[in-house]
Every structure is written in structure tokens, then in C-alpha cells.
Amino acid sequence: MGKTVCIIGAGVGGLMAGAFLAKKGYQVTVLEKATKVGGSAGSYVRKGRTFPTGATIAFGLEEQGLLDTLIKELQLDLPFQLLQHPMDIILSDRRISIYQNQKRWDEELQQVLPEHQKDVQAFWKKLEQISEYVYGVTATGVSMPISRPYDLGKLPSHALTHPKAMLHLARYATWTVEDLLRKYHLESYEPLRQLIDAAQTDCTEAALLPSSLALAIYRRGSFYIEKGMGQLCELLAERIVELGGELILAATVKELTYEQKKWHVTSRKRSGEFDIVINNTGVSFGKGTSYADSDSFSWGAFRVDALLKDSFWHQELQGRPLPFALQIVPSKEQTVLFSDVHGPVYATFQPAYDDQGEKVPKEIMMTISIHANEDGWRKESKDAYKAIKQQITDAMFEEIQKVINIKDYLIYEESGTPLTYKKYMGKTSVGGFPLTVRNAITKPKSVRSPLPQLYIVGEQAFPGPGTLSSALSGYHAARAIMHTHCLK
């Protein structure tokens, strides 16, 4: 009998770890609180429609990309399509279209940011170069922080063949995006700062190395997975079961204890002892079981789900390929969007699916989100909570309406706060930790917890939020387990 592994939470990080471990012969059991897999990369049903829980666009699916490599190794057949023009960013005085094609992107920068054209082009060229170097290092499978030989992955051989790149990365290791702006005399150029901040990266504190990858990754390609990101999670879950593992839904874990070199897991549907535990929930089950108890700030989210008449797609979006997103820097007059919540208003338009996963022909789905502070919501009275919730919703709709007409097509809308996420997902934090130098470079979180035979994966354990980061954390945890807890 192989070693037993209990994965708590069927998000993409846990499922990725589980699939690789099951492939190697480990006995994998996945316990999920919800009635379907996916977590922050999954979906839920509301009003007979299937809404994405979080991410709608995938990265790393280009040929030999970071995610493409993993799904091919697991022999998953994942249908997706490349998005040539996935998003527009709306600044206070201009609109910038994000293009996959490098030439079109260079032309867009020249046309939309003409005031400092040469400096902007030089800045972005350097940013793209750094991102190439970061991507190359990430592709080696290196896992931070490096404390075991296997954490290095293929980094030593990469360093020998790419010495210039490694020297470059060493030079910029502790730089922020603000430092690079300053190098090109652009620190006071507000449109460029807004563009970078609209990509959910704060210039002043964001670590340059991972931020360069986040800001330039659209040139590698952004992708829409048919029926949403949850499809990847469903395929991973199916592969675990095919390889002899088990998936148990609606199995909320109540208790986790370690005795006599075994982890004892108690849930609603399954209790037992396991050699190894992987926590993919972002929820603490006691000291050392999660990074949720750390003093690092993490994002919450305020979210609106909506349905629009499909005539919106023809008349307002001119029939452009979906999904399509708008990131809107809100007006300073919208004070409610700079207090309880903050950052750009992010609206995504995509095909609508019913609760059976079938496309609804006469509807378009719209999700709107904005970063929200986790604290404070519980302190409000019921009436005050409801009033603030409505104020934020109204302000977000107002900002979108300035850019594109949605009010004439609206069928349904419903909003949720960090407390809504807490109710349905068990946590208020849904966006990972900010990409600061400390979080990403000098003090990165490890997939290995301080506790024996317990690992932490997901958005908490890899620099930067998103499905790609969570998937990589799952792979790194699986590799660490395979090296540390070898099958006999």
C-alpha cells in the first residue's frame, strides 16, 4: 500500500498536486466543502446560471507554456482558445487596449501614451526583457524559498546556459516597479502609473521581477477555457479518480490533528488518518496549518453577478470574441470606491451558461469585482451593511456605465461582500498576498509548512494571485512530497 494523502480543498492547487501524486501511486483523498470542485477557479449556480467564482482568463497555455507543460504531463484534453484582444483599461483620461500581438501593443503604447513616447517604449522594452528572464527561471521548476536540493529544479543548468539573464535578475532582485519607472524618469507620468496600477500592481511596493511577468504575460497569450476555468479543475478531479484516488464533495473538514506520526482528519463525510496532508483551503485548522494566520495583508473582494440581454453583445461590443474585460480606474468622486474597497473596477463579459453547463443563447453574463478590505464588514449593523453594499454596487455600475451602456440591457444583478465569500468559501481572502519584495523575493511562502508532513498550496503559497500560480504551487508540493515521502 502506498502512502496516503489527504487534500483539503478541491481548488486548482490541491487538484494539481493530487493528480501528480496519484499518477505516482500515492493514495489520494480529496475533501471539498462545496458540492463541486474549483474553489477560487471554479463556479457556482445562482438563479439557474453558472457563474465563475473568480478567474475567467487563463495564462500559461501557450505551446510549452507553464500550465501547458503540466496538463500535457497529466494527459488532459483541455479545450481553450487564444484571445487576441482580451481587455481594455480605462484610465482617467484615455483608453488602452491590451493586445497579444507585440507589434499592435507597441503601436498602442505609442498612440495612447505619446507625451513620453521614447521613455515609455524604453521602459516597456526593459520590462518585457525582465519578464522573459523571469519566465525562463520559473520554467525550470525552481521553488522558493530554496531549502532542499530538489527546490532548485533545473535552475543550475539554466544558470550555466543563461548567465546574462541570471546577472540581470540578480541586479533587479530587490527593485520595485517604482524603481524601474524612476530609472526612465517616468515616476511622475500619471497615465503610465494608472495603467500599471490598473493591472492590480501597486508601483510603489510591487516587486519588479514577478510584476514584470504579470504585466507582460498577455504577449505570451491569454486564453479562454471552454465553459470557464472550472473545466480545468473538473478534468484534474477526473484524472485523480481515474488513477485510483477519491473525491468527496460536501465534506467540510471540522478538525485536523497530528498524533503518532499520522494526521487525523475529521470531516462531515469522511474521517480517518493519513500520512500526509495538503491544505488548499486558505483556512486555518490550527497553528502552522495555513498562512491565513500570518500578519501579511491579503485581498478580499466585492463582487457583482449580472445577466444582460444578448443584444448587448451585438450593439455595445460589436460582436467581439468573448470573454472581454474592462478594467476601469474609478473617478476620485466615487469616494466609496476608495474607502471600503479599492483598485480598478474589473468587469468581464462572457457567454452565459445554465446550471447544466449548457450555453444560454439570449443572454450575456457579466461579473464585476473590486479589491476589498477583509476587515470591518462584521462590525456593521445589518442596515448599515446593506446600505454600504448598495452604495458600492451603484458606484461600480456608474463607472461602467460611463464607458459602455449596460443599464438598457440589464436582466438581473446581485452583489456580494467578503462576508459572502466567507459564507460560501470559508474565507474572506480570495486574492493571495500582494507582490511585494518581501512576499515574492526575500520572504516567500513555502509549500512546506512548519508542521511535519503538512503542505500548503494555492494562492497563499506562490507569488501573485491567479490560477497559474496556484497550479504551480500544487506541482511544487507534489514534487516535494515525492522527494521527501518516497513510496516503498
Side-chain angles (χ1 to χ4, degrees):
M1 299 293 288
K3 287 188 178 293
T4 55
V5 181
C6 179
I7 297 173
I8 307 175
V12 68
L15 292 172
M16 187 66 73
F20 273 99
L21 290 170
K23 183 182 176 184
K24 288 294 185 181
Y26 291 79
Q27 296 181 58
V28 175
T29 298
V30 183
L31 302 177
E32 168 55 44
K33 173 183 179 180
T35 56
K36 61 192 309 183
V37 301
S40 296
S43 61
Y44 54 87
V45 174
R46 176 182 277 182
K47 296 293 183 180
R49 299 294 181 266
T50 301
F51 289 91
T53 307
T56 53
I57 294 177
F59 299 100
L61 287 172
E62 66 277 5
E63 188 67 26
Q64 297 184 332
L66 296 173
L67 187 55
D68 175 71
T69 302
L70 298 181
I71 65 174
K72 283 182 177 175
E73 190 169 343
L74 293 170
Q75 298 179 311
L76 303 181
D77 183 15
L78 182 68
F80 59 85
Q81 61 188 47
L82 174 68
L83 301 173
Q84 300 286 350
H85 177 194
M87 178 171 61
D88 282 358
I89 296 179
I90 315 301
L91 308 183
S92 58
D93 64 347
R94 64 196 79 191
R95 181 177 187 140
I96 300 179
S97 295
I98 305 297
Y99 293 110
Q100 187 266 336
N101 181 270
Q102 186 69 53
K103 183 179 179 182
R104 291 197 69 181
W105 173 241
D106 291 341
E107 292 172 349
E108 183 75 2
L109 286 176
Q110 292 176 32
Q111 293 171 7
V112 181
L113 301 172
E115 297 92 344
H116 299 274
Q117 190 178 108
K118 289 184 179 181
D119 289 336
V120 168
Q121 291 284 29
F123 167 84
W124 214 273
K125 183 178 180 181
K126 176 58 70 174
L127 189 79
E128 298 265 6
Q129 181 190 52
I130 294 171
S131 77
E132 284 288 321
Y133 294 156
V134 173
Y135 195 92
V137 168
T138 306
T140 67
V142 62
S143 179
M144 301 291 285
I146 297 170
S147 58
R148 308 285 195 283
Y150 58 78
D151 288 334
L152 289 166
K154 298 178 181 178
L155 183 61
S157 60
H158 178 83
L160 289 174
T161 55
H162 298 81
K164 179 182 175 182
M166 298 305 294
L167 288 172
H168 231 73
L169 294 180
R171 176 187 177 187
Y172 292 112
T174 59
W175 279 41
T176 64
V177 176
E178 178 86 6
D179 293 327
L180 192 65
L181 285 170
R182 193 174 295 115
K183 176 180 178 179
Y184 291 96
H185 312 291
L186 292 167
E187 68 273 17
S188 300
Y189 186 35
E190 194 59 27
L192 182 58
R193 294 185 69 91
Q194 286 186 19
L195 169 61
I196 294 171
D197 285 342
Q200 302 183 9
T201 303
D202 187 308
C203 298
T204 58
E205 296 186 1
L208 176 59
L209 299 191
S211 296
S212 69
L213 187 56
L215 291 166
I217 201 168
Y218 289 95
R219 245 61 62 218
R220 290 189 170 273
S222 54
F223 304 86
Y224 176 60
I225 297 174
E226 187 178 316
K227 296 186 180 181
M229 300 292 288
Q231 283 293 100
L232 171 59
C233 295
E234 290 176 14
L235 288 173
L236 287 168
E238 289 172 6
R239 182 50 45 90
I240 290 171
V241 173
E242 289 169 359
L243 292 169
E246 58 180 344
L247 168 68
I248 305 172
L249 301 175
T252 304
V253 171
K254 301 292 186 181
E255 189 176 19
L256 183 64
T257 57
Y258 185 70
E259 296 176 4
Q260 297 180 342
K261 297 184 179 182
K262 293 282 187 177
W263 281 102
H264 298 263
V265 182
T266 304
S267 80
R268 286 178 55 189
K269 290 187 175 180
R270 172 66 59 85
S271 297
E273 60 180 33
F274 299 87
D275 297 307
I276 303 158
V277 166
I278 299 175
N279 185 2
N280 183 215
T281 66
V283 176
S284 175
F285 297 97
K287 186 176 180 181
T289 62
S290 168
Y291 293 126
D293 296 330
S294 71
D295 58 358
S296 297
F297 170 81
S298 56
W299 286 305
F302 188 98
R303 160 80 174 249
V304 179
D305 292 329
L307 296 173
L308 307 173
K309 300 173 186 176
D310 70 334
S311 53
F312 168 84
W313 179 56
H314 299 287
Q315 297 176 21
E316 304 297 332
L317 291 179
Q318 291 78 49
R320 74 170 71 238
L322 297 178
F324 179 72
L326 292 171
Q327 285 199 48
I328 304 169
V329 176
S331 167
K332 294 294 184 182
E333 297 173 358
Q334 297 281 15
T335 55
V336 69
L337 299 183
F338 293 90
S339 54
D340 297 289
V341 293
H342 53 93
V345 176
Y346 186 80
T348 303
F349 308 97
Q350 56 199 306
Y353 291 92
D354 64 19
D355 55 359
Q356 301 301 311
E358 299 297 324
K359 190 175 289 187
V360 181
K362 295 185 178 181
E363 294 177 359
I364 294 295
M365 185 175 292
M366 177 177 71
T367 57
I368 318 170
S369 62
I370 190 170
H371 284 156
N373 294 324
E374 297 179 84
D375 301 326
W377 298 92
R378 295 183 184 85
K379 300 175 184 177
E380 303 291 349
S381 66
K382 185 175 181 180
D383 289 342
Y385 174 87
K386 185 176 180 180
I388 294 171
K389 184 177 176 181
Q390 190 61 53
Q391 288 172 8
I392 295 173
T393 302
D394 291 344
M396 292 170 73
F397 269 94
E398 285 177 21
E399 292 303 299
I400 296 172
Q401 187 67 26
K402 292 176 184 177
V403 180
I404 192 168
N405 179 22
I406 56 175
K407 68 178 182 180
D408 293 340
Y409 306 93
L410 190 63
I411 300 172
Y412 156 84
E413 58 90 4
E414 187 170 350
S415 56
T417 72
L419 289 189
T420 312
Y421 278 95
K422 176 70 174 178
K423 179 179 179 181
Y424 292 103
M425 298 183 66
K427 57 182 179 179
T428 56
S429 173
V430 295
F433 297 117
L435 286 175
T436 62
V437 172
R438 184 180 188 278
N439 288 340
I441 306 296
T442 60
K443 294 287 184 179
K445 302 291 191 297
S446 174
V447 294
R448 291 181 292 269
S449 81
L451 301 176
Q453 299 162 214
L454 188 140
Y455 298 79
I456 301 171
V457 303
E459 57 202 12
Q460 294 189 10
F462 199 94
T467 302
L468 177 57
S469 298
S470 294
L472 289 170
S473 75
Y475 169 74
H476 289 168
R479 185 180 63 186
I481 289 169
M482 284 183 255
H483 278 85
T484 308
H485 311 282
C486 297
L487 293 180
K488 295 181 180 180

